Amino acid sequence: MTTTQAPFTALQQSALPLERVLHSTNSGFILHRVGQLAYEFSAEGRRFSVDLLRYINESQEGVATSFAFEETFGRRDRMHWFIHLKSPNDYGILLNMVDHDLEFRRISDEDRLPTKGGGNWDRMFVHRSLHEDVLIPQHGMDHDDDHTEGATFVPPAASQLSQAPVDQLNTATAGAVLMRTSDVKYEYREEGRMFLAHWQHVVNERLAGRVTATLYEQTWGQQDHLFQLVHLRSPEDYQELAALERSPDMLREVFGRQRLHESKGGGGWDRLFIPGSIRDTLLLPQVPGTDD
């Protein structure tokens, strides 16, 4: 009899238990940071990432939790970090750490390339490759009208879910994350969000325990640029998601439904998005020590 090894999860990057970390379904404000490692410094860059996020997670418990992922079936040595916070105000606490915390500065500034000419993180990453997007859980579509003085900036993505808590996956517990981005046409912004909400509801219902999909919108960036984080129990569950999307039931219930009122010319989901804007990136949690 063969056994399947449990997938590595981002929670294993932290010494904290699940109930003490922030992640994609309990936070109200997420920084998605991307950086391209130079091939010659990729091992050192991964070790730097592990050291830095471990310190952030332990020293900023309750304020911020950061998890590192690697792009798969995309660009080699391209790193993704999700920095989960409750609100934008908490980012000021991180900035104070960056400016004044001596241990943070030591981790950032120490020579990590002693046999390669010396240097630290600023030599490891390709110039102009580091950038950030701000993601906030999609809001205003459900029952969050009373979320005026909540603990998070907007209702967390868990409020979008009808899955039982035991079935919910997030950036801490998923074995892989499919990040899907799309650009909704301005005139169909509400219809586009409703289509994505319907899609994720069906996915979450049919694949509970294996897939959890959540919806976010970019803030302080491109208008109506949307992010879906589709959390997979393991990379193999991507095949289950693909099979569901091609199924007759999905075609009939989700993709075949009219999404635009006749007053807007009618039409299905394919009229809602800018052509070519829907893009999938598969991310796997970075495994500490693999380059040591």
Side-chain angles (χ1 to χ4, degrees):
M1 185 175 77
T2 60
T3 58
T4 301
Q5 184 177 1
F8 184 87
T9 67
L11 184 62
Q12 293 167 260
Q13 299 170 3
S14 172
L16 299 174
L18 179 61
E19 61 270 16
R20 291 168 56 186
V21 302
L22 293 166
H23 49 68
S24 54
T25 60
N26 69 2
S27 57
F29 188 86
I30 301 174
L31 292 177
H32 169 235
R33 180 176 293 166
V34 180
Q36 176 66 51
L37 286 166
Y39 299 145
E40 61 185 313
F41 305 135
S42 61
E44 293 87 353
R46 286 176 171 82
R47 286 195 288 271
F48 164 73
S49 174
V50 168
D51 290 346
L52 196 64
L53 71 84
R54 180 183 294 126
Y55 181 71
I56 291 173
N57 291 345
E58 293 177 0
S59 66
Q60 301 299 323
E61 180 182 348
V63 174
T65 301
S66 178
F67 293 126
F69 291 79
E70 300 188 48
E71 193 166 305
T72 307
F73 307 128
R75 299 187 197 178
R76 183 181 179 90
D77 294 327
R78 187 171 173 85
M79 301 296 300
H80 295 249
W81 298 269
F82 292 103
I83 305 171
H84 310 85
L85 306 107
K86 294 177 182 178
S87 72
N89 290 338
D90 293 330
Y91 190 58
I93 300 174
L94 288 186
L95 291 179
N96 185 68
M97 177 189 66
V98 171
D99 291 338
H100 303 293
D101 189 292
L102 295 180
E103 180 61 14
F104 180 91
R105 297 299 296 271
R106 183 195 68 77
I107 295 171
S108 298
D109 296 341
E110 74 171 302
D111 184 2
R112 292 178 175 268
L113 304 170
T115 65
K116 297 182 178 181
N120 50 41
W121 70 268
D122 53 5
R123 286 194 65 205
M124 299 173 189
F125 291 93
V126 175
H127 287 290
R128 298 188 68 186
S129 72
L130 286 162
H131 71 267
E132 293 180 346
D133 294 309
V134 174
L135 281 59
I136 64 169
Q138 182 60 58
H139 56 96
M141 296 175 61
D142 283 321
H143 314 291
D144 53 32
D145 292 338
D146 59 347
H147 187 86
T148 54
E149 298 296 335
T152 55
F153 182 50
V154 297
S159 67
Q160 302 171 11
L161 302 175
S162 58
Q163 287 180 339
V166 69
D167 290 329
Q168 295 178 17
L169 297 163
N170 53 60
T171 45
T173 60
V177 176
L178 175 70
M179 183 175 67
R180 176 170 293 177
T181 57
S182 58
D183 295 311
V184 182
K185 294 178 181 177
Y186 295 153
E187 62 266 38
Y188 306 141
R189 59 196 319 265
E190 292 186 9
E191 292 89 347
R193 285 165 169 78
M194 292 303 298
F195 162 72
L196 294 178
H198 186 200
W199 178 91
Q200 79 178 36
H201 173 76
V202 174
V203 167
N204 289 339
E205 182 180 73
R206 304 289 175 84
L207 298 177
R210 307 184 72 171
V211 178
T212 298
T214 48
L215 177 62
Y216 308 80
E217 58 184 1
Q218 187 178 65
T219 304
W220 299 303
Q222 183 177 314
Q223 184 74 32
D224 290 323
H225 184 57
L226 303 182
F227 286 76
Q228 293 168 277
L229 297 183
V230 185
H231 311 86
L232 310 174
R233 182 187 59 183
S234 70
E236 289 74 20
D237 288 309
Y238 178 77
Q239 298 301 324
E240 296 296 322
L241 176 65
L244 176 62
E245 284 204 293
R246 293 192 297 266
S247 69
D249 286 349
M250 195 75 164
L251 291 174
R252 181 179 61 255
E253 294 179 30
V254 179
F255 294 110
R257 179 175 295 190
Q258 178 163 305
R259 297 291 171 178
L260 289 174
H261 190 268
E262 293 299 333
S263 63
K264 294 186 176 182
W269 74 271
D270 49 359
R271 287 196 60 203
L272 307 177
F273 299 90
I274 297 174
S277 69
I278 300 175
R279 181 175 181 177
D280 287 354
T281 304
L282 186 63
L283 307 175
L284 296 182
Q286 180 188 337
V287 181
T290 52
D291 288 297
D292 292 344

